[in-house]
Each structure stands twice: as C-alpha cells, then as structure tokens.
PDB file of all heavy atoms in Angstrom:
ATOM      1  N   SER A  29     208.449   9.520 -33.526  1.00  0.00           N
ATOM      2  CA  SER A  29     207.098   9.925 -33.786  1.00  0.00           C
ATOM      3  C   SER A  29     206.185   8.647 -34.034  1.00  0.00           C
ATOM      4  O   SER A  29     204.990   8.864 -34.421  1.00  0.00           O
ATOM      5  CB  SER A  29     207.053  10.772 -35.123  1.00  0.00           C
ATOM      6  OG  SER A  29     207.539  10.007 -36.221  1.00  0.00           O
ATOM      7  N   TYR A  30     206.687   7.441 -33.899  1.00  0.00           N
ATOM      8  CA  TYR A  30     205.977   6.253 -34.158  1.00  0.00           C
ATOM      9  C   TYR A  30     204.774   6.098 -33.395  1.00  0.00           C
ATOM     10  O   TYR A  30     203.632   5.796 -33.930  1.00  0.00           O
ATOM     11  CB  TYR A  30     206.864   5.001 -33.988  1.00  0.00           C
ATOM     12  CG  TYR A  30     206.291   3.702 -34.547  1.00  0.00           C
ATOM     13  CD1 TYR A  30     205.352   3.745 -35.523  1.00  0.00           C
ATOM     14  CD2 TYR A  30     206.717   2.506 -34.037  1.00  0.00           C
ATOM     15  CE1 TYR A  30     204.884   2.508 -36.091  1.00  0.00           C
ATOM     16  CE2 TYR A  30     206.180   1.380 -34.428  1.00  0.00           C
ATOM     17  CZ  TYR A  30     205.173   1.348 -35.472  1.00  0.00           C
ATOM     18  OH  TYR A  30     204.623   0.192 -35.999  1.00  0.00           O
ATOM     19  N   SER A  31     204.810   6.321 -32.089  1.00  0.00           N
ATOM     20  CA  SER A  31     203.474   6.176 -31.245  1.00  0.00           C
ATOM     21  C   SER A  31     202.399   7.193 -31.711  1.00  0.00           C
ATOM     22  O   SER A  31     201.249   6.720 -31.669  1.00  0.00           O
ATOM     23  CB  SER A  31     203.903   6.437 -29.801  1.00  0.00           C
ATOM     24  OG  SER A  31     204.465   7.688 -29.582  1.00  0.00           O
ATOM     25  N   ALA A  32     202.732   8.382 -31.971  1.00  0.00           N
ATOM     26  CA  ALA A  32     201.760   9.297 -32.490  1.00  0.00           C
ATOM     27  C   ALA A  32     201.195   8.885 -33.832  1.00  0.00           C
ATOM     28  O   ALA A  32     200.065   9.051 -34.039  1.00  0.00           O
ATOM     29  CB  ALA A  32     202.351  10.753 -32.593  1.00  0.00           C
ATOM     30  N   VAL A  33     202.040   8.424 -34.631  1.00  0.00           N
ATOM     31  CA  VAL A  33     201.573   7.946 -36.027  1.00  0.00           C
ATOM     32  C   VAL A  33     200.541   6.724 -35.889  1.00  0.00           C
ATOM     33  O   VAL A  33     199.618   6.667 -36.633  1.00  0.00           O
ATOM     34  CB  VAL A  33     202.773   7.548 -36.854  1.00  0.00           C
ATOM     35  CG1 VAL A  33     202.379   6.857 -38.136  1.00  0.00           C
ATOM     36  CG2 VAL A  33     203.543   8.853 -37.296  1.00  0.00           C
ATOM     37  N   LEU A  34     200.924   5.848 -34.971  1.00  0.00           N
ATOM     38  CA  LEU A  34     200.049   4.633 -34.784  1.00  0.00           C
ATOM     39  C   LEU A  34     198.650   5.162 -34.343  1.00  0.00           C
ATOM     40  O   LEU A  34     197.660   4.513 -34.740  1.00  0.00           O
ATOM     41  CB  LEU A  34     200.645   3.707 -33.741  1.00  0.00           C
ATOM     42  CG  LEU A  34     201.802   2.856 -34.184  1.00  0.00           C
ATOM     43  CD1 LEU A  34     202.218   2.066 -32.978  1.00  0.00           C
ATOM     44  CD2 LEU A  34     201.440   1.976 -35.316  1.00  0.00           C
ATOM     45  N   GLU A  35     198.629   6.186 -33.633  1.00  0.00           N
ATOM     46  CA  GLU A  35     197.256   6.703 -33.034  1.00  0.00           C
ATOM     47  C   GLU A  35     196.542   7.591 -34.123  1.00  0.00           C
ATOM     48  O   GLU A  35     195.303   7.422 -34.256  1.00  0.00           O
ATOM     49  CB  GLU A  35     197.570   7.427 -31.780  1.00  0.00           C
ATOM     50  CG  GLU A  35     196.296   7.990 -31.125  1.00  0.00           C
ATOM     51  CD  GLU A  35     196.604   8.808 -29.917  1.00  0.00           C
ATOM     52  OE1 GLU A  35     197.812   8.836 -29.552  1.00  0.00           O
ATOM     53  OE2 GLU A  35     195.610   9.432 -29.350  1.00  0.00           O
ATOM     54  N   LYS A  36     197.362   8.497 -34.760  1.00  0.00           N
ATOM     55  CA  LYS A  36     196.633   9.466 -35.508  1.00  0.00           C
ATOM     56  C   LYS A  36     196.801   9.377 -37.100  1.00  0.00           C
ATOM     57  O   LYS A  36     196.250  10.070 -37.886  1.00  0.00           O
ATOM     58  CB  LYS A  36     197.139  10.932 -35.131  1.00  0.00           C
ATOM     59  CG  LYS A  36     196.906  11.192 -33.638  1.00  0.00           C
ATOM     60  CD  LYS A  36     197.431  12.588 -33.211  1.00  0.00           C
ATOM     61  CE  LYS A  36     197.271  12.905 -31.747  1.00  0.00           C
ATOM     62  NZ  LYS A  36     197.777  14.190 -31.411  1.00  0.00           N
ATOM     63  N   GLY A  37     197.702   8.476 -37.524  1.00  0.00           N
ATOM     64  CA  GLY A  37     197.963   8.221 -38.883  1.00  0.00           C
ATOM     65  C   GLY A  37     199.257   9.096 -39.305  1.00  0.00           C
ATOM     66  O   GLY A  37     199.898   9.776 -38.552  1.00  0.00           O
ATOM     67  N   ILE A  38     199.549   8.936 -40.600  1.00  0.00           N
ATOM     68  CA  ILE A  38     200.762   9.528 -41.190  1.00  0.00           C
ATOM     69  C   ILE A  38     200.331  10.890 -41.854  1.00  0.00           C
ATOM     70  O   ILE A  38     199.367  10.901 -42.593  1.00  0.00           O
ATOM     71  CB  ILE A  38     201.461   8.689 -42.234  1.00  0.00           C
ATOM     72  CG1 ILE A  38     201.686   7.289 -41.729  1.00  0.00           C
ATOM     73  CG2 ILE A  38     202.794   9.235 -42.664  1.00  0.00           C
ATOM     74  CD1 ILE A  38     202.116   6.220 -42.691  1.00  0.00           C
ATOM     75  N   ARG A  39     201.046  11.925 -41.466  1.00  0.00           N
ATOM     76  CA  ARG A  39     200.855  13.226 -42.098  1.00  0.00           C
ATOM     77  C   ARG A  39     202.188  13.809 -42.406  1.00  0.00           C
ATOM     78  O   ARG A  39     203.251  13.392 -41.910  1.00  0.00           O
ATOM     79  CB  ARG A  39     200.220  14.092 -41.023  1.00  0.00           C
ATOM     80  CG  ARG A  39     198.789  13.752 -40.530  1.00  0.00           C
ATOM     81  CD  ARG A  39     198.200  14.788 -39.578  1.00  0.00           C
ATOM     82  NE  ARG A  39     196.933  14.307 -39.145  1.00  0.00           N
ATOM     83  CZ  ARG A  39     195.742  14.421 -39.766  1.00  0.00           C
ATOM     84  NH1 ARG A  39     195.729  15.053 -40.908  1.00  0.00           N
ATOM     85  NH2 ARG A  39     194.600  14.113 -39.238  1.00  0.00           N
ATOM     86  N   PRO A  40     202.207  14.791 -43.397  1.00  0.00           N
ATOM     87  CA  PRO A  40     203.385  15.358 -43.816  1.00  0.00           C
ATOM     88  C   PRO A  40     204.155  16.036 -42.711  1.00  0.00           C
ATOM     89  O   PRO A  40     203.392  16.762 -41.811  1.00  0.00           O
ATOM     90  CB  PRO A  40     203.004  16.336 -44.975  1.00  0.00           C
ATOM     91  CG  PRO A  40     201.673  15.963 -45.414  1.00  0.00           C
ATOM     92  CD  PRO A  40     201.035  15.274 -44.232  1.00  0.00           C
ATOM     93  N   THR A  41     205.475  15.967 -42.677  1.00  0.00           N
ATOM     94  CA  THR A  41     206.159  16.728 -41.638  1.00  0.00           C
ATOM     95  C   THR A  41     207.149  17.682 -42.211  1.00  0.00           C
ATOM     96  O   THR A  41     206.923  18.936 -42.359  1.00  0.00           O
ATOM     97  CB  THR A  41     206.863  15.760 -40.772  1.00  0.00           C
ATOM     98  OG1 THR A  41     207.732  14.851 -41.496  1.00  0.00           O
ATOM     99  CG2 THR A  41     205.879  14.934 -39.930  1.00  0.00           C
ATOM    100  N   HIS A  42     208.276  17.224 -42.688  1.00  0.00           N
ATOM    101  CA  HIS A  42     209.284  18.124 -43.218  1.00  0.00           C
ATOM    102  C   HIS A  42     209.126  18.224 -44.702  1.00  0.00           C
ATOM    103  O   HIS A  42     209.846  19.055 -45.340  1.00  0.00           O
ATOM    104  CB  HIS A  42     210.723  17.460 -43.000  1.00  0.00           C
ATOM    105  CG  HIS A  42     210.889  16.190 -43.568  1.00  0.00           C
ATOM    106  ND1 HIS A  42     210.406  14.979 -42.954  1.00  0.00           N
ATOM    107  CD2 HIS A  42     211.611  15.759 -44.696  1.00  0.00           C
ATOM    108  CE1 HIS A  42     210.823  13.927 -43.613  1.00  0.00           C
ATOM    109  NE2 HIS A  42     211.406  14.371 -44.753  1.00  0.00           N
ATOM    110  N   GLN A  43     208.155  17.539 -45.284  1.00  0.00           N
ATOM    111  CA  GLN A  43     207.825  17.702 -46.736  1.00  0.00           C
ATOM    112  C   GLN A  43     206.446  18.184 -46.884  1.00  0.00           C
ATOM    113  O   GLN A  43     205.583  17.893 -46.045  1.00  0.00           O
ATOM    114  CB  GLN A  43     207.990  16.323 -47.546  1.00  0.00           C
ATOM    115  CG  GLN A  43     209.464  15.774 -47.421  1.00  0.00           C
ATOM    116  CD  GLN A  43     210.355  16.452 -48.562  1.00  0.00           C
ATOM    117  OE1 GLN A  43     209.965  17.408 -49.089  1.00  0.00           O
ATOM    118  NE2 GLN A  43     211.431  15.750 -48.788  1.00  0.00           N
ATOM    119  N   PRO A  44     206.035  18.827 -47.982  1.00  0.00           N
ATOM    120  CA  PRO A  44     204.726  19.300 -48.187  1.00  0.00           C
ATOM    121  C   PRO A  44     203.724  18.064 -48.395  1.00  0.00           C
ATOM    122  O   PRO A  44     202.543  18.236 -48.066  1.00  0.00           O
ATOM    123  CB  PRO A  44     204.735  20.102 -49.473  1.00  0.00           C
ATOM    124  CG  PRO A  44     206.241  20.400 -49.677  1.00  0.00           C
ATOM    125  CD  PRO A  44     207.051  19.274 -49.087  1.00  0.00           C
ATOM    126  N   GLU A  45     204.206  16.917 -48.771  1.00  0.00           N
ATOM    127  CA  GLU A  45     203.437  15.760 -48.988  1.00  0.00           C
ATOM    128  C   GLU A  45     204.118  14.526 -48.411  1.00  0.00           C
ATOM    129  O   GLU A  45     205.297  14.536 -48.056  1.00  0.00           O
ATOM    130  CB  GLU A  45     203.133  15.550 -50.492  1.00  0.00           C
ATOM    131  CG  GLU A  45     202.365  16.720 -51.098  1.00  0.00           C
ATOM    132  CD  GLU A  45     202.461  16.522 -52.598  1.00  0.00           C
ATOM    133  OE1 GLU A  45     203.431  16.717 -53.268  1.00  0.00           O
ATOM    134  OE2 GLU A  45     201.299  16.265 -53.186  1.00  0.00           O
ATOM    135  N   ILE A  46     203.319  13.407 -48.155  1.00  0.00           N
ATOM    136  CA  ILE A  46     204.010  12.147 -47.795  1.00  0.00           C
ATOM    137  C   ILE A  46     204.532  11.535 -49.047  1.00  0.00           C
ATOM    138  O   ILE A  46     203.824  11.345 -50.007  1.00  0.00           O
ATOM    139  CB  ILE A  46     202.990  11.218 -47.161  1.00  0.00           C
ATOM    140  CG1 ILE A  46     202.288  11.955 -45.978  1.00  0.00           C
ATOM    141  CG2 ILE A  46     203.496   9.956 -46.731  1.00  0.00           C
ATOM    142  CD1 ILE A  46     200.992  11.265 -45.499  1.00  0.00           C
ATOM    143  N   ILE A  47     205.742  11.132 -48.981  1.00  0.00           N
ATOM    144  CA  ILE A  47     206.408  10.497 -50.095  1.00  0.00           C
ATOM    145  C   ILE A  47     206.443   8.889 -49.877  1.00  0.00           C
ATOM    146  O   ILE A  47     207.042   8.470 -48.879  1.00  0.00           O
ATOM    147  CB  ILE A  47     207.797  11.045 -50.381  1.00  0.00           C
ATOM    148  CG1 ILE A  47     207.836  12.474 -50.592  1.00  0.00           C
ATOM    149  CG2 ILE A  47     208.490  10.231 -51.585  1.00  0.00           C
ATOM    150  CD1 ILE A  47     209.199  13.142 -50.780  1.00  0.00           C
ATOM    151  N   CYS A  48     205.794   8.184 -50.673  1.00  0.00           N
ATOM    152  CA  CYS A  48     205.684   6.750 -50.606  1.00  0.00           C
ATOM    153  C   CYS A  48     206.514   6.213 -51.720  1.00  0.00           C
ATOM    154  O   CYS A  48     206.443   6.622 -52.928  1.00  0.00           O
ATOM    155  CB  CYS A  48     204.226   6.307 -50.718  1.00  0.00           C
ATOM    156  SG  CYS A  48     203.064   7.080 -49.521  1.00  0.00           S
ATOM    157  N   ALA A  49     207.226   5.097 -51.428  1.00  0.00           N
ATOM    158  CA  ALA A  49     208.131   4.430 -52.481  1.00  0.00           C
ATOM    159  C   ALA A  49     207.615   3.159 -52.824  1.00  0.00           C
ATOM    160  O   ALA A  49     207.088   2.366 -51.886  1.00  0.00           O
ATOM    161  CB  ALA A  49     209.529   4.322 -52.002  1.00  0.00           C
ATOM    162  N   GLU A  50     207.846   2.707 -54.022  1.00  0.00           N
ATOM    163  CA  GLU A  50     207.406   1.394 -54.470  1.00  0.00           C
ATOM    164  C   GLU A  50     208.320   0.257 -53.950  1.00  0.00           C
ATOM    165  O   GLU A  50     207.948  -0.862 -53.978  1.00  0.00           O
ATOM    166  CB  GLU A  50     207.316   1.390 -55.952  1.00  0.00           C
ATOM    167  CG  GLU A  50     206.354   0.326 -56.551  1.00  0.00           C
ATOM    168  CD  GLU A  50     206.056   0.483 -58.039  1.00  0.00           C
ATOM    169  OE1 GLU A  50     206.350   1.600 -58.516  1.00  0.00           O
ATOM    170  OE2 GLU A  50     205.505  -0.451 -58.622  1.00  0.00           O
ATOM    171  N   THR A  51     209.660   0.620 -53.632  1.00  0.00           N
ATOM    172  CA  THR A  51     210.481  -0.371 -53.100  1.00  0.00           C
ATOM    173  C   THR A  51     210.954   0.021 -51.658  1.00  0.00           C
ATOM    174  O   THR A  51     210.986   1.170 -51.235  1.00  0.00           O
ATOM    175  CB  THR A  51     211.779  -0.442 -53.969  1.00  0.00           C
ATOM    176  OG1 THR A  51     212.538   0.883 -53.948  1.00  0.00           O
ATOM    177  CG2 THR A  51     211.380  -0.694 -55.505  1.00  0.00           C
ATOM    178  N   ILE A  52     211.297  -1.042 -50.979  1.00  0.00           N
ATOM    179  CA  ILE A  52     211.790  -0.879 -49.564  1.00  0.00           C
ATOM    180  C   ILE A  52     213.230  -0.059 -49.579  1.00  0.00           C
ATOM    181  O   ILE A  52     213.373   0.803 -48.757  1.00  0.00           O
ATOM    182  CB  ILE A  52     212.002  -2.169 -48.898  1.00  0.00           C
ATOM    183  CG1 ILE A  52     210.578  -2.864 -48.688  1.00  0.00           C
ATOM    184  CG2 ILE A  52     212.673  -2.086 -47.497  1.00  0.00           C
ATOM    185  CD1 ILE A  52     210.718  -4.239 -48.085  1.00  0.00           C
ATOM    186  N   GLU A  53     213.977  -0.319 -50.633  1.00  0.00           N
ATOM    187  CA  GLU A  53     215.281   0.328 -50.577  1.00  0.00           C
ATOM    188  C   GLU A  53     215.133   1.801 -50.699  1.00  0.00           C
ATOM    189  O   GLU A  53     215.776   2.572 -50.041  1.00  0.00           O
ATOM    190  CB  GLU A  53     216.098  -0.314 -51.776  1.00  0.00           C
ATOM    191  CG  GLU A  53     216.512  -1.660 -51.630  1.00  0.00           C
ATOM    192  CD  GLU A  53     215.373  -2.632 -51.881  1.00  0.00           C
ATOM    193  OE1 GLU A  53     214.364  -2.238 -52.408  1.00  0.00           O
ATOM    194  OE2 GLU A  53     215.475  -3.834 -51.482  1.00  0.00           O
ATOM    195  N   MET A  54     214.174   2.335 -51.558  1.00  0.00           N
ATOM    196  CA  MET A  54     214.106   3.763 -51.811  1.00  0.00           C
ATOM    197  C   MET A  54     213.460   4.308 -50.525  1.00  0.00           C
ATOM    198  O   MET A  54     213.887   5.429 -50.203  1.00  0.00           O
ATOM    199  CB  MET A  54     213.236   4.017 -53.002  1.00  0.00           C
ATOM    200  CG  MET A  54     213.051   5.561 -53.295  1.00  0.00           C
ATOM    201  SD  MET A  54     214.550   6.461 -53.423  1.00  0.00           S
ATOM    202  CE  MET A  54     215.027   5.904 -55.103  1.00  0.00           C
ATOM    203  N   ALA A  55     212.449   3.756 -50.027  1.00  0.00           N
ATOM    204  CA  ALA A  55     211.828   4.236 -48.717  1.00  0.00           C
ATOM    205  C   ALA A  55     212.919   4.355 -47.582  1.00  0.00           C
ATOM    206  O   ALA A  55     212.893   5.436 -46.971  1.00  0.00           O
ATOM    207  CB  ALA A  55     210.684   3.247 -48.323  1.00  0.00           C
ATOM    208  N   GLU A  56     213.758   3.358 -47.451  1.00  0.00           N
ATOM    209  CA  GLU A  56     214.822   3.487 -46.351  1.00  0.00           C
ATOM    210  C   GLU A  56     215.856   4.590 -46.712  1.00  0.00           C
ATOM    211  O   GLU A  56     216.316   5.360 -45.850  1.00  0.00           O
ATOM    212  CB  GLU A  56     215.423   2.116 -46.156  1.00  0.00           C
ATOM    213  CG  GLU A  56     214.452   1.164 -45.478  1.00  0.00           C
ATOM    214  CD  GLU A  56     215.274  -0.217 -45.321  1.00  0.00           C
ATOM    215  OE1 GLU A  56     216.256  -0.421 -45.955  1.00  0.00           O
ATOM    216  OE2 GLU A  56     214.636  -1.030 -44.601  1.00  0.00           O
ATOM    217  N   LYS A  57     216.159   4.720 -47.932  1.00  0.00           N
ATOM    218  CA  LYS A  57     217.070   5.727 -48.449  1.00  0.00           C
ATOM    219  C   LYS A  57     216.504   7.189 -48.051  1.00  0.00           C
ATOM    220  O   LYS A  57     217.200   7.993 -47.567  1.00  0.00           O
ATOM    221  CB  LYS A  57     217.284   5.596 -49.968  1.00  0.00           C
ATOM    222  CG  LYS A  57     218.317   6.734 -50.495  1.00  0.00           C
ATOM    223  CD  LYS A  57     218.498   6.438 -51.979  1.00  0.00           C
ATOM    224  CE  LYS A  57     219.576   7.391 -52.492  1.00  0.00           C
ATOM    225  NZ  LYS A  57     219.800   7.062 -54.038  1.00  0.00           N
ATOM    226  N   ILE A  58     215.254   7.375 -48.308  1.00  0.00           N
ATOM    227  CA  ILE A  58     214.627   8.659 -48.045  1.00  0.00           C
ATOM    228  C   ILE A  58     214.528   8.820 -46.512  1.00  0.00           C
ATOM    229  O   ILE A  58     214.791   9.914 -46.010  1.00  0.00           O
ATOM    230  CB  ILE A  58     213.211   8.768 -48.716  1.00  0.00           C
ATOM    231  CG1 ILE A  58     213.424   8.656 -50.250  1.00  0.00           C
ATOM    232  CG2 ILE A  58     212.522  10.053 -48.222  1.00  0.00           C
ATOM    233  CD1 ILE A  58     212.067   8.721 -50.925  1.00  0.00           C
ATOM    234  N   GLY A  59     214.072   7.771 -45.873  1.00  0.00           N
ATOM    235  CA  GLY A  59     213.855   7.792 -44.305  1.00  0.00           C
ATOM    236  C   GLY A  59     215.126   8.096 -43.605  1.00  0.00           C
ATOM    237  O   GLY A  59     215.051   8.827 -42.593  1.00  0.00           O
ATOM    238  N   LYS A  60     216.276   7.550 -44.030  1.00  0.00           N
ATOM    239  CA  LYS A  60     217.569   7.771 -43.362  1.00  0.00           C
ATOM    240  C   LYS A  60     218.126   9.137 -43.409  1.00  0.00           C
ATOM    241  O   LYS A  60     219.099   9.451 -42.787  1.00  0.00           O
ATOM    242  CB  LYS A  60     218.552   6.695 -43.793  1.00  0.00           C
ATOM    243  CG  LYS A  60     218.256   5.285 -43.306  1.00  0.00           C
ATOM    244  CD  LYS A  60     219.366   4.338 -43.866  1.00  0.00           C
ATOM    245  CE  LYS A  60     219.026   2.960 -43.360  1.00  0.00           C
ATOM    246  NZ  LYS A  60     220.068   1.923 -43.777  1.00  0.00           N
ATOM    247  N   ARG A  61     217.460   9.948 -44.245  1.00  0.00           N
ATOM    248  CA  ARG A  61     217.877  11.397 -44.266  1.00  0.00           C
ATOM    249  C   ARG A  61     217.387  12.132 -43.109  1.00  0.00           C
ATOM    250  O   ARG A  61     217.810  13.255 -42.730  1.00  0.00           O
ATOM    251  CB  ARG A  61     217.387  12.101 -45.586  1.00  0.00           C
ATOM    252  CG  ARG A  61     217.864  11.527 -46.815  1.00  0.00           C
ATOM    253  CD  ARG A  61     217.278  12.051 -48.110  1.00  0.00           C
ATOM    254  NE  ARG A  61     217.749  11.399 -49.282  1.00  0.00           N
ATOM    255  CZ  ARG A  61     217.185  11.518 -50.460  1.00  0.00           C
ATOM    256  NH1 ARG A  61     216.140  12.222 -50.631  1.00  0.00           N
ATOM    257  NH2 ARG A  61     217.662  10.937 -51.605  1.00  0.00           N
ATOM    258  N   ARG A  62     216.539  11.537 -42.362  1.00  0.00           N
ATOM    259  CA  ARG A  62     215.806  12.147 -41.165  1.00  0.00           C
ATOM    260  C   ARG A  62     216.196  11.502 -39.863  1.00  0.00           C
ATOM    261  O   ARG A  62     216.098  11.994 -38.797  1.00  0.00           O
ATOM    262  CB  ARG A  62     214.247  12.315 -41.361  1.00  0.00           C
ATOM    263  CG  ARG A  62     213.797  12.910 -42.619  1.00  0.00           C
ATOM    264  CD  ARG A  62     214.184  14.328 -42.746  1.00  0.00           C
ATOM    265  NE  ARG A  62     213.769  15.160 -41.672  1.00  0.00           N
ATOM    266  CZ  ARG A  62     213.928  16.473 -41.628  1.00  0.00           C
ATOM    267  NH1 ARG A  62     214.651  17.026 -42.521  1.00  0.00           N
ATOM    268  NH2 ARG A  62     213.377  17.098 -40.527  1.00  0.00           N
ATOM    269  N   ASP A  63     216.438  10.138 -40.046  1.00  0.00           N
ATOM    270  CA  ASP A  63     216.756   9.277 -38.895  1.00  0.00           C
ATOM    271  C   ASP A  63     217.668   8.107 -39.249  1.00  0.00           C
ATOM    272  O   ASP A  63     217.397   7.520 -40.207  1.00  0.00           O
ATOM    273  CB  ASP A  63     215.343   8.644 -38.352  1.00  0.00           C
ATOM    274  CG  ASP A  63     215.484   8.136 -36.976  1.00  0.00           C
ATOM    275  OD1 ASP A  63     216.491   7.479 -36.635  1.00  0.00           O
ATOM    276  OD2 ASP A  63     214.585   8.271 -36.088  1.00  0.00           O
ATOM    277  N   ASN A  64     218.653   7.855 -38.446  1.00  0.00           N
ATOM    278  CA  ASN A  64     219.615   6.861 -38.807  1.00  0.00           C
ATOM    279  C   ASN A  64     218.939   5.420 -38.696  1.00  0.00           C
ATOM    280  O   ASN A  64     219.379   4.562 -39.493  1.00  0.00           O
ATOM    281  CB  ASN A  64     220.832   6.864 -37.816  1.00  0.00           C
ATOM    282  CG  ASN A  64     221.633   8.024 -38.025  1.00  0.00           C
ATOM    283  OD1 ASN A  64     221.761   8.582 -39.166  1.00  0.00           O
ATOM    284  ND2 ASN A  64     222.329   8.663 -37.032  1.00  0.00           N
ATOM    285  N   GLN A  65     217.943   5.309 -37.906  1.00  0.00           N
ATOM    286  CA  GLN A  65     217.248   4.046 -37.754  1.00  0.00           C
ATOM    287  C   GLN A  65     215.749   4.299 -37.812  1.00  0.00           C
ATOM    288  O   GLN A  65     214.992   4.232 -36.897  1.00  0.00           O
ATOM    289  CB  GLN A  65     217.629   3.246 -36.584  1.00  0.00           C
ATOM    290  CG  GLN A  65     219.100   2.817 -36.415  1.00  0.00           C
ATOM    291  CD  GLN A  65     219.384   2.165 -35.164  1.00  0.00           C
ATOM    292  OE1 GLN A  65     218.839   2.514 -34.169  1.00  0.00           O
ATOM    293  NE2 GLN A  65     220.353   1.173 -35.229  1.00  0.00           N
ATOM    294  N   PRO A  66     215.231   4.588 -39.008  1.00  0.00           N
ATOM    295  CA  PRO A  66     213.727   4.904 -39.216  1.00  0.00           C
ATOM    296  C   PRO A  66     213.009   3.668 -39.064  1.00  0.00           C
ATOM    297  O   PRO A  66     213.374   2.540 -39.150  1.00  0.00           O
ATOM    298  CB  PRO A  66     213.719   5.485 -40.551  1.00  0.00           C
ATOM    299  CG  PRO A  66     214.854   4.835 -41.345  1.00  0.00           C
ATOM    300  CD  PRO A  66     215.935   4.647 -40.312  1.00  0.00           C
ATOM    301  N   ILE A  67     211.714   3.852 -38.782  1.00  0.00           N
ATOM    302  CA  ILE A  67     210.674   2.782 -38.667  1.00  0.00           C
ATOM    303  C   ILE A  67     210.033   2.731 -40.068  1.00  0.00           C
ATOM    304  O   ILE A  67     209.506   3.693 -40.631  1.00  0.00           O
ATOM    305  CB  ILE A  67     209.626   3.149 -37.640  1.00  0.00           C
ATOM    306  CG1 ILE A  67     210.208   3.342 -36.242  1.00  0.00           C
ATOM    307  CG2 ILE A  67     208.501   2.007 -37.655  1.00  0.00           C
ATOM    308  CD1 ILE A  67     210.717   2.091 -35.707  1.00  0.00           C
ATOM    309  N   ARG A  68     210.102   1.497 -40.646  1.00  0.00           N
ATOM    310  CA  ARG A  68     209.496   1.334 -41.894  1.00  0.00           C
ATOM    311  C   ARG A  68     207.997   0.810 -41.761  1.00  0.00           C
ATOM    312  O   ARG A  68     207.658  -0.125 -41.072  1.00  0.00           O
ATOM    313  CB  ARG A  68     210.160   0.226 -42.719  1.00  0.00           C
ATOM    314  CG  ARG A  68     209.795   0.081 -44.115  1.00  0.00           C
ATOM    315  CD  ARG A  68     210.482  -0.890 -44.906  1.00  0.00           C
ATOM    316  NE  ARG A  68     210.156  -2.219 -44.572  1.00  0.00           N
ATOM    317  CZ  ARG A  68     211.002  -3.178 -44.154  1.00  0.00           C
ATOM    318  NH1 ARG A  68     212.304  -2.852 -44.064  1.00  0.00           N
ATOM    319  NH2 ARG A  68     210.600  -4.439 -43.859  1.00  0.00           N
ATOM    320  N   LEU A  69     207.156   1.558 -42.545  1.00  0.00           N
ATOM    321  CA  LEU A  69     205.649   1.121 -42.498  1.00  0.00           C
ATOM    322  C   LEU A  69     205.265   0.695 -43.878  1.00  0.00           C
ATOM    323  O   LEU A  69     205.722   1.154 -44.923  1.00  0.00           O
ATOM    324  CB  LEU A  69     204.879   2.346 -42.146  1.00  0.00           C
ATOM    325  CG  LEU A  69     205.174   3.093 -40.841  1.00  0.00           C
ATOM    326  CD1 LEU A  69     204.260   4.293 -40.568  1.00  0.00           C
ATOM    327  CD2 LEU A  69     205.048   2.034 -39.679  1.00  0.00           C
ATOM    328  N   THR A  70     204.450  -0.340 -43.930  1.00  0.00           N
ATOM    329  CA  THR A  70     203.920  -0.872 -45.158  1.00  0.00           C
ATOM    330  C   THR A  70     202.497  -0.274 -45.458  1.00  0.00           C
ATOM    331  O   THR A  70     201.597  -0.399 -44.606  1.00  0.00           O
ATOM    332  CB  THR A  70     203.798  -2.412 -45.148  1.00  0.00           C
ATOM    333  OG1 THR A  70     205.102  -2.908 -44.892  1.00  0.00           O
ATOM    334  CG2 THR A  70     203.210  -2.929 -46.486  1.00  0.00           C
TER     335      THR A  70
END
C-alpha cells in the first residue's frame, strides 16, 4: 500500500484509527502483525 499512501496520505485500514507510536520498536511491533516486512514512516 506504500505507493498509494505516498500519493493520498495515511488513512485507517484494519483499525478504526491510525495508531502512531512514540518509539520505532513499538511501531514495528504493531506493523508486523499485518506485514512481515512493513514500511516504517516517520
């Protein structure tokens, strides 16, 4: 979904809201529940 996100921005998908983490470790922990190699955005 990265190419679409770059064009249109980040929107909720499988969650009612976008979950943002204060640490990279937590963001990757959440992201890997949907993709083994997720794309990390700052």
Side-chain angles (χ1 to χ4, degrees):
S29 64
Y30 189 27
S31 58
V33 167
L34 285 176
E35 180 183 355
K36 301 178 181 179
I38 309 173
R39 298 182 183 275
T41 53
H42 60 283
Q43 297 277 14
E45 300 168 289
I46 303 167
I47 301 177
C48 307
E50 200 166 351
T51 66
I52 294 175
E53 292 77 15
M54 179 57 75
E56 291 181 344
K57 182 177 182 179
I58 297 172
K60 287 181 179 179
R61 294 172 186 170
R62 310 296 299 178
D63 192 322
N64 290 330
Q65 295 180 327
I67 300 292
R68 187 181 76 237
L69 305 177
T70 301

